[in-house]
Amino acid sequence: MLNVSRLNKRFGDLSIFENFDLMLPRNGFTVLIGPSGCGKSTLFNVLTGVVARDGGEISWCGEEISHLRDTSAYMQQKDLLLPWFSLMDNALLPAKIAGENMATSSQKAISLFKRLGLDGFETYRPGEISGGMKQRCALVRTLMFERALVLLDEPLSALDAITRRSLQSLLLMLQIEFEKTILMITHDIEEAIWLADEVLVLSGRPMRVLDQFTLTGPKPRRLDDPELIKIKEYVLTLLQEYTAS
Ligand SMILES: Nc1ncnc2c1ncn2[C@@H]1O[C@H](COP(=O)(O)OP(=O)(O)OP(=O)(O)O)[C@@H](O)[C@H]1O
Ligand SMILES: [Mg+2]
């Protein structure tokens, strides 16, 4: 569905990635995992046209496009909530800008607020809630976009274990029931194994794929599955070896 080839990005003398390739199958859940500062968020920014690229092609459903801004829903690493808007107004902003039916959008937002444990906080402002709540509100806003592709940059990093598990289930539902194609960044190897069909382990700058593997079997997965424990150890070793060398 998405085919990215020979993507290049530099910031001055710093080469972030060179000839970076990426392929996402329709309705797949692909997870990127790699050291801090390697260029994961930059990759998302380049894909969505937030930051200009220095070269390479992006094709979507066989057609070359300049970026994925109109094709994807993108949750950035920073929550980017507007501080003077209530959480509900923040969530509804994209729908308002797109001129969508506000009654339908409000219903959808109300049900997402409930699903993400934010009901009762609709009129609060971002300055009045916790970091994890801001992250959930940003996720609500992202899910308000009706797009086939969802890009999530560490969407659950600020959450406690229980909320995190519940939102991981929501992401699985999004993939399976709503047939979204998901590309997600995480630092949590267990989260990657729990959710992904495809895991890409990335190196430091210039960022390249150290290894890529496919996970099969029904989801949600059992983390005590010996095969998955082996994969987790393997990813850790790969990242450790890379960092040490
Ligand atoms: N706008 C920018 N101008 C200059 N350098 C930048 C800019 N954005 C990112 N960088 C640099 O690019 C490199 C990659 O940053 P990026 O945010 O993509 O890393 P990351 O893999 O997402 O890290 P983390 O896991 O910590 O979020 C860093 O060295 C960063 O300083
Ligand atoms: Mg990042």
Side-chain angles (χ1 to χ4, degrees):
M1 191 174 209
L2 175 69
N3 204 341
V4 173
S5 61
R6 299 188 303 277
L7 211 60
N8 285 310
K9 181 64 197 169
R10 309 183 65 85
F11 285 117
D13 290 340
L14 206 62
S15 174
I16 310 298
F17 39 82
E18 292 164 14
N19 297 323
F20 191 88
D21 296 337
L22 179 71
M23 244 182 65
L24 299 187
R26 182 185 295 273
N27 200 211
F29 202 132
T30 306
V31 172
L32 304 178
I33 195 158
S36 178
C38 75
K40 303 176 297 297
S41 298
T42 304
L43 174 69
F44 277 20
N45 287 338
V46 162
L47 289 176
T48 51
V50 171
V51 164
R53 65 180 180 269
D54 297 318
E57 284 97 50
I58 301 173
S59 90
W60 174 253
C61 300
E63 235 175 81
E64 202 170 307
I65 52 172
S66 47
H67 53 66
L68 294 165
R69 199 176 299 159
D70 304 321
T71 317
S72 62
Y74 175 24
M75 177 175 164
Q76 297 199 28
Q77 194 168 8
K78 294 175 284 185
D79 64 58
L80 298 179
L81 297 172
L82 300 176
W84 56 89
F85 273 14
S86 70
L87 300 193
M88 182 55 83
D89 287 342
N90 265 290
L92 288 174
L93 191 62
K96 224 173 245 174
I97 292 170
E100 282 169 24
N101 179 314
M102 289 319 288
T104 317
S105 298
S106 297
Q107 278 313 311
K108 186 174 174 185
I110 288 167
S111 91
L112 281 169
F113 268 78
K114 271 209 187 90
R115 184 69 176 81
L116 273 73
L118 285 175
D119 47 330
F121 293 94
E122 291 85 349
T123 57
Y124 282 53
R125 287 173 193 214
E128 298 168 329
I129 58 169
S130 74
M133 291 165 83
K134 279 188 211 166
Q135 204 167 32
R136 281 179 277 155
C137 185
L139 187 56
V140 168
R141 191 181 48 188
T142 308
L143 302 182
M144 290 295 293
F145 284 92
E146 292 290 343
R147 303 275 165 78
L149 175 65
V150 184
L151 302 182
L152 302 168
D153 191 348
E154 300 191 40
L156 314 179
S157 59
L159 304 178
D160 67 86
I162 307 298
T163 312
R164 191 169 182 140
R165 181 47 59 90
S166 139
L167 294 198
Q168 286 168 344
S169 305
L170 175 86
L171 295 183
L172 277 185
M173 187 187 80
L174 206 66
Q175 179 202 12
I176 295 161
E177 282 177 37
F178 294 91
E179 300 186 343
K180 305 277 188 194
T181 303
I182 302 180
L183 179 60
M184 184 176 98
I185 296 168
T186 184
H187 284 293
D188 182 336
I189 303 177
E190 284 192 353
E191 180 167 276
I193 290 172
W194 209 71
L195 294 173
D197 304 315
E198 198 76 22
V199 177
L200 272 68
V201 186
L202 303 166
S203 74
R205 287 187 314 269
M207 182 173 79
R208 62 187 172 83
V209 178
L210 290 174
D211 204 352
Q212 173 167 1
F213 50 91
T214 307
L215 293 165
T216 50
K219 293 192 269 185
R221 303 209 164 93
R222 290 186 57 96
L223 288 171
D224 56 357
D225 177 336
E227 203 52 42
L228 295 182
I229 293 174
K230 251 194 261 168
I231 292 175
K232 186 178 154 188
E233 291 302 318
Y234 169 67
V235 174
L236 266 174
T237 313
L238 204 60
L239 289 169
Q240 266 162 359
E241 272 174 12
Y242 178 79
T243 313
S245 62

